[in-house]
Amino acid sequence: MNTLISLTDNLRTFWSYTGFYNAEPGHLVMILIGLVFIYLAITKEYEPLLLIPIGFGILVGNIPFNEAANLQVGIYEEGSVLNILYQGVVQGWYPPLIFLGIGAMTDFSALIANPKLILIGAAAQFGIFGAYIIALQLGFAPNEAGAIGIIGGADGPTAIFTTSKLAPHLLGAVAISAYSYMALVPVIQPPFMRLLTTQKERVIKMKTPRVVSQTEKILFPIMGMLLTTFLVPSGLPLLGMLFFGNLLKESGVTRRLAETARGPLIDTITILLGFTVGASTQATTFLRVESVKVFAIGALSFVIATCTGILFVKFLNLFLSNEKKINPLIGNSGVSAVPDSARISQTIGLEYDPANYLLMHAMGPNVAGVIGSAVAAGILLGFLY
Amino acid sequence: MRIIKRIIFLFATVALLSGCSTQVKNPEWVINEVMVVNETNFVDDFGQRHGWIEIYNNTAKTMDLGGRFLTNDRNNPKKYPIPRGDVLTRIKPHQHALFWADGNPFNGTFHLNFELDPTKDNWIGLYDNDGKKLLDEIIIPAGMLADQTFGYAQDGIKYNETGTASGVLLERVTPSSNNAILEENPKVVSLQEDDPLGGLLTVTSMLVVFFGLIALYFFFKLSGNIAKSMTQKKVAQSGTLSAVRSHSHLSGEVLAAIAAAIHEMKEDQHDIESTILTIHQVKRNFSPWSTKRQSLRELPR
């Protein structure tokens, strides 16, 4: 009889440790969201390199367990494996490493050939500050509003880096929001591109960019780094690594380093970053009204960034001669979702003129957006951290 | 030569701009708070009350005080050598070390071999390992009352905007802790008060973003023009068809027609043409820019 009681007690204790016993509705909601991410990544191929790690991370992070038992399995439990990996997000050293890889894989030729496209990348940063204003009106503190606003930069690493400093408690919501909307750029941007442009504007053919010399390509990361970081030193980790990666690529003498940065290194960090950000969305800390607000403002910030980019091109066109006019369909590319938003310019452009290839032109503001959002992040850190 | 002049001008401008800041830098180690007469205040490990000197690590890195010298005598900079090898002298970023001015150095690392005198000005200096380089100094005015401290209102902020030392009698006695207790981020608080709508920050930030990227624009506009003119010179010297194209704005087809006509005339091939020569531009219909693979996999609906 005693043996039977002990067995029952053991099973009861074991049961209290299982996920079934500790599950709350929030966990199931989050697991559902994780499954949607994985579904979107596999069937729709929306940013699969990010959504698969994040989606699976959400599943892992929301397996319910007995938190009081100090099992050291949760991402917020000090010393757990997930917690150690998560330090790269919390301390903000994954994003600069991602930027190193981005720099090593980005060709800035389109920007160097037609430098006025840089300004479109600046205009699109209105998305960040528009969202900042909205977040303030919704009752967020300035530092929280800054972290939410950075979603409008459409740059996951920048958003994570900035939020980890300004409002670490919003990190999960901001990161998931930024990556979700980046994946949904093909859905968010086209309606506004059509709405804000005329038929005549959509078929503007831009001059083929000139060929850029190797010297110019080498000068770009050096001068870019010096000019931007002297202005905004708080953006140094992101901008320094971005331009360093680009110099590795363009110098022509560090091919092995460039290949590592844009290959194994960025892949490793992407896996760790995506997975731990996903796992950080534990229902107990993530499912809050605040997170819903963050998602809503994040969507608006993308819309604002898209619209201001397009409107700024139209404004620029007022001062440009006919042969130098810019197709406003590349204005959406000012957000730094590289290269997705540039691809959208290309696709929408082709709809209206099958011989009008906008991709190479759109890559200019697209990479300028990366620089612009990193500068904007530096400014926010300078003012709010 | 013109390019070199432009580059020199650019560097000179940057150098001038960098030299604009006249702000005096706060030292890495700051003698942050000093109590001369301790009657009812903080007690040392031996249960005794003495005057004390708080030193603040004003950097973002852990630094070791071991091997440096504390003194109250300008003529004897090496008066109290802070012992080396004590882990407690490794001070974390923006943290404090407290030394007891009790004249009992054998009581431990943090007990000095001198005392402070309330009847006169107390000069206190912290010297580097060589005993020559003065790291920081402070003068505590005579007549300090019991349990009163003199120091800086904010940790490590020694100099005010005019560059003068800003030591004051402190409102609160805070041994080994922050002189100013910050409950909230002062930047955030001031923004909440001065810019509740966020418009000011938005305008300022966008100006900075535009300024930074406009600077890049001008640089690459300039370097692009230089690169273009250098390429044109090289091509012109080569004497090829590309040289003509680079100097004229005529299309490739027009130049090809002119070249064909000149060739015919020079070779004296035909006086009267029996056919019409049509030049078709050779187009590659496929390029990486037009491939569907580079585009969206599905059109947005």
Side-chain angles (χ1 to χ4, degrees), chain A residues 45 115-116 118-119 122 129 132-133 137 142 186 210 216 220 223 231 343 346-347 357 360 379 382-385, chain B residues 185 187 191-192 196-198 201-202 205-206 209 212-214 217 219-220 224 227 289-290 294-295 297 299-300:
Chain A
E45 293 194 41
K116 63 176 169 288
I118 291 177
L119 301 179
F129 298 103
Y132 170 79
I133 291 174
Q137 305 318 309
R210 69 181 173 85
E216 286 177 275
F220 182 80
M223 290 311 296
L231 192 64
R343 284 181 188 165
Q346 160 88 346
T347 311
Y357 303 120
M360 56 191 156
I379 296 167
F383 278 116
L384 300 169
Y385 183 52
Chain B
N185 183 343
K187 290 180 185 173
L191 270 176
Q192 272 171 328
L197 296 176
L201 179 85
T202 300
S205 306
M206 284 308 292
V209 171
L213 295 189
I214 284 173
Y217 162 74
F219 179 80
F220 288 102
W289 298 110
S290 63
Q294 302 290 336
S295 190
R297 289 180 178 81
L299 283 178

Side-chain angles (χ1 to χ4, degrees), chain A residues 173-208:
Chain A
V174 169
I176 296 292
S177 175
Y179 279 118
S180 308
Y181 292 129
M182 276 165 64
L184 291 173
V185 153
V187 179
I188 297 172
Q189 290 195 323
F192 296 95
M193 293 164 72
R194 292 195 181 96
L195 184 72
L196 295 173
T197 52
T198 62
Q199 176 66 28
K200 197 180 158 194
E201 286 170 332
R202 288 176 211 139
V203 294
I204 291 176
K205 276 199 173 157
M206 294 172 67
K207 239 169 79 178
T208 312

